[in-house]
Every structure is written in C-alpha cells, then in structure tokens.
Amino acid sequence: MYKIVRKETLNDAAFEMEIEAPMVARKCEAGQFIILRVGEDGERIPLTIGDFDREKGTITIVVQAVGFSTKQLEKLEVGDEVTDFVGPLGRPTEFHDGLKRVVGVCGGIGAAPVYPQLKALAEKGVKVDVIIGGREAQYVLWADKFKTFCDHVYIATDNGELGTKGFGTTVLQQLIDEGVKFDEVIAIGPVIMMKNVVKVTKPYNIPTSVSLNPIMVDGTGMCGCCRVTVDGQTKFACVDGPDFDGLNVDFDELMERQRFFKKEEKYVDEHADR
Ligand code: FES
C-alpha cells in the first residue's frame, strides 16, 4: 500500500498529493507517468509525475477531480493509502542537444508535468522560462516552484485577474513578436490548449513537445483509447509517449476521439454509488 504523506487543495477543482512510493521515486524521470487505483475495484488512473523526491521516496501528483475515480481519490486524506501505484511508465522526455532557451507553456494542472521537464533542463544549464495559464488566478499553479529555477515566470489569466489578460498563447505570441528566440516549446495542458500552442509555433517552425497524458485510459497499450496519429503514423500515448512532436500531432482526430465516451462518463459520475 502507498501512503499519502501530504495533501493540499490547490483550487476548487484540483488537489496535490505526495505519496510514498520509494521504488517509483528511485527510478522515475521527467515525462513519465504512474497509474494508481483507489480500492480493489477502482478504475486505473494514469497521472503524469509532477515532482519526485528520491531521498524521501515520494512522488507528487496533481489531480483534477472531474470524474468518479478522481473524486474518490480526493476523499482520501494524509495517512490513508492508495491500493496500487505503478510506475514509472511511459518514455522519459528526450531532451535535444544544443538547447539554449526553452519555454514551458502550461494550462491548469499541466503545470505539474511541465515542472520536472523544465527543472531537468535548468539543471543541464539551459535557460528556461515558463508561461502559466489559468481561467482565473486560483487556477494558476506552482508559480513559486517555477521561480526557484526559471529565468522568467509569465502568467496569463482569461479574466485578467493575474498577469496578462488572455491565454498562455497570448503571452507566447507576444514574446515571439518581441524577438525572443526559443529553441523549443514544451506545452502541456488541455488538448485544445496544446493545439493552440502549436498554431502559434508552427509558422516559425519552433520544435514543440506536447504531452498526451489526458487521452489515456488504461495506460498499458491494450485499450487503444490513447491512439493518436503523429506524422501520419499511429502511436499510443501510453507506450510511445506521453511526449510527442506537437507540430505533427493530428489534434482534430484526437479531440474527436475524446468526445466518444462523454455521455457514459457523465452517466457514471451522476449515478455511481459513492
Ligand atoms: Fe489504453 Fe494507451 S491508454 S492503450
């Protein structure tokens, strides 16, 4: 069993948990994910690793309580245990050689998976910036954590409550217009956000990495739900990713597939016995 050693509410939708999982913490790398279950009959929940502490043997995850299973997880408190915690899964992020300046663009809980990638780059001596987007100030996550190693932490909120009024892409476009040269952009957040980041970077041919964790279901390469077309080839986010070359991802097909089970998910959320 895997004990919850810290729990923090981040906003009205998301929470952060630090969970004891020494074997996972020892081996995991930026970009990888874990799968956990709450209870013997629990659904598998794939979550990208936000942070890890090899000495303490813990993994930090950030979760948005949007469906039945994530709401079950939200009910657990410090001292409680999750039934399964499997990982590290997926391919670690591959960092290209010769990077001088990289910017992460994150939306909502996407800040968590961007964090270990930018941190690893900063440790290699790459100059890193981050743009954190959220609907309102409460959805802007981990700004203080990023400040410990990022050159610039930019914030954008839809309503202008904090930082620039607009989206992460608004800030990214402004920086490009000002002549800031990024060797790579790492975009993680809702699929529509990643699609829009690619719309900004593609005309300049800026290599853009996206993480397709949001489309995973079982995380084992068997259910087929995370199928995605990248550069005309079929890939599985859980086996071949989660990171992909965003410039070549077929986002329209991906978004269409995401809508497949909306009705069933809503039904379970409304009718499941809690
Ligand atoms: Fe099921 Fe990848 S999540 S095959």
Side-chain angles (χ1 to χ4, degrees), residues 32-34 46-49 194 211-217 237 242:
Q32 292 188 293
F33 69 97
I34 56 95
L47 295 162
T48 307
I49 293 167
M194 294 189 277
S211 175
L212 300 183
N213 179 296
I215 63 170
M216 289 185 203
V217 178

Side-chain angles (χ1 to χ4, degrees), residues 232-250:
Q233 292 186 320
T234 301
K235 301 280 183 190
F236 285 67
C238 64
V239 179
D240 302 308
D243 294 342
F244 289 100
D245 168 8
L247 300 187
N248 286 305
V249 168
D250 186 339

